[in-house]
Amino acid sequence: EDKVVQSPLSLVVHEGDTVTLNCSYEVTNFRSLLWYKQEKKAPTFLFMLTSSGIEKKSGRLSSILDKKELFSILNITATQTGDSAVYLCAVDRYNNNDMRFGAGTRLTVKP
Amino acid sequence: DADVTQTPRNRITKTGKRIMLECSQTKGHDRMYWYRQDPGLGLRLIYYSFDVKDINKGEISDGYSVSRQAQAKFSLSLESAIPNQTALYFCATSDIAGTGAVGELFFGEGSRLTVL
């Protein structure tokens, strides 16, 4: 059965720290991996990764995909309290209209 | 205004009651989805629709039904609510060419349902 596993499940850091969130997957017909940020309610899109080794960046956030080892990481540098959220990883698959989500990593950034 | 709007945002009901959650979107996307989110389980797909005449079951469709009234409207019904349907429900849309993939999802704000 296809699965997406995120680690850690929760993480508490202080402002200014750098964090790395992990997402590993075992799926058939992999198409892309997506990261979302969920602060209070609606998840909001961060990145879509389809190719190995190509880093995507947006400000202090960056992500990369390893299709050989079947994982992705999301890095956040110089964390701020506004980065506190649940970060969701999801895998989109060819020939499948059900995107498979991980359980999420809850990040808490303390002042 | 949000591109994907869900109503109600919060609802408390009793076991056995019929509940409808509504979703409307202004993004012009053909594809609409209903997901359920439970702590520790991530989001799971309940139903999805590619157009008004196309309705498909997702991973956890038992106990739910849907109606696609128009391209912009997709409602989720619980015919007889039970406590384990207490969850956060999300409507989402996507716009991707071809079939067999989802692409980027655009989520509504969520509807928190509590069944007592």
Side-chain angles (χ1 to χ4, degrees):
Chain A
E1 181 180 335
D2 290 357
K3 59 182 179 180
V4 178
V5 179
Q6 293 187 244
S7 63
L9 292 181
S10 66
L11 187 58
V12 180
V13 300
H14 290 278
E15 275 192 315
D17 289 348
T18 293
V19 297
T20 298
L21 309 183
N22 302 288
C23 176
S24 63
Y25 61 92
E26 292 181 31
V27 303
T28 54
N29 297 323
F30 175 90
R31 180 179 183 271
S32 61
L33 186 145
L34 296 89
W35 285 97
Y36 289 85
K37 178 182 182 181
Q38 185 178 18
E39 292 183 76
K40 292 186 177 177
K41 285 290 180 72
T44 55
F45 174 78
L46 293 175
F47 299 112
M48 179 186 290
L49 304 157
T50 57
S51 301
S52 277
I54 299 175
E55 184 181 53
K56 296 229 174 167
K57 287 180 68 79
S58 177
R60 295 175 294 102
L61 278 65
S62 64
S63 184
I64 198 162
L65 174 68
D66 186 327
K67 292 172 73 173
K68 181 179 179 183
E69 300 297 329
L70 307 183
F71 76 93
S72 174
I73 59 172
L74 176 67
N75 280 319
I76 308 175
T77 59
T79 52
Q80 303 172 356
T81 55
D83 295 325
S84 295
V86 174
Y87 290 83
L88 300 170
C89 171
V91 174
D92 197 8
R93 300 163 288 177
Y94 287 109
N95 303 316
N96 195 317
N97 296 296
D98 183 356
M99 185 175 290
R100 189 55 52 100
F101 282 83
T105 293
R106 180 174 295 279
L107 174 65
T108 302
V109 182
K110 293 189 172 182
Chain B
D1 289 340
D3 293 324
V4 183
T5 303
Q6 293 182 229
T7 57
R9 298 288 304 278
N10 288 283
R11 182 72 184 269
I12 300 173
T13 191
K14 294 182 178 180
T15 297
K17 295 292 188 181
R18 184 178 187 274
I19 296 296
M20 179 180 286
L21 306 179
E22 298 185 340
C23 177
S24 62
Q25 53 115 346
T26 58
K27 299 192 75 65
H29 292 168
D30 288 326
R31 301 184 176 200
M32 298 188 74
Y33 307 80
W34 275 104
Y35 284 90
R36 164 179 176 158
Q37 186 175 36
D38 298 276
L41 293 178
L43 284 91
R44 292 179 293 165
L45 183 64
I46 306 172
Y47 270 96
Y48 63 98
S49 168
F50 287 174
D51 64 39
V52 175
K53 300 178 182 178
D54 179 78
I55 301 289
N56 303 279
K57 293 182 178 180
E59 179 187 2
I60 54 165
S61 60
D62 287 349
Y64 302 94
S65 63
V66 291
S67 174
R68 185 81 182 265
Q69 300 96 325
Q71 190 223 25
K73 295 184 181 295
F74 192 35
S75 60
L76 175 72
S77 294
L78 289 69
E79 297 301 326
S80 180
I82 56 177
N84 75 2
Q85 291 177 314
T86 293
L88 183 58
Y89 291 86
F90 285 103
C91 176
T93 71
S94 74
D95 181 23
I96 185 169
T99 60
V102 178
E104 180 185 346
L105 287 165
F106 297 85
F107 289 91
E109 292 293 304
S111 297
R112 183 167 295 284
L113 176 65
T114 302
V115 183
L116 301 176

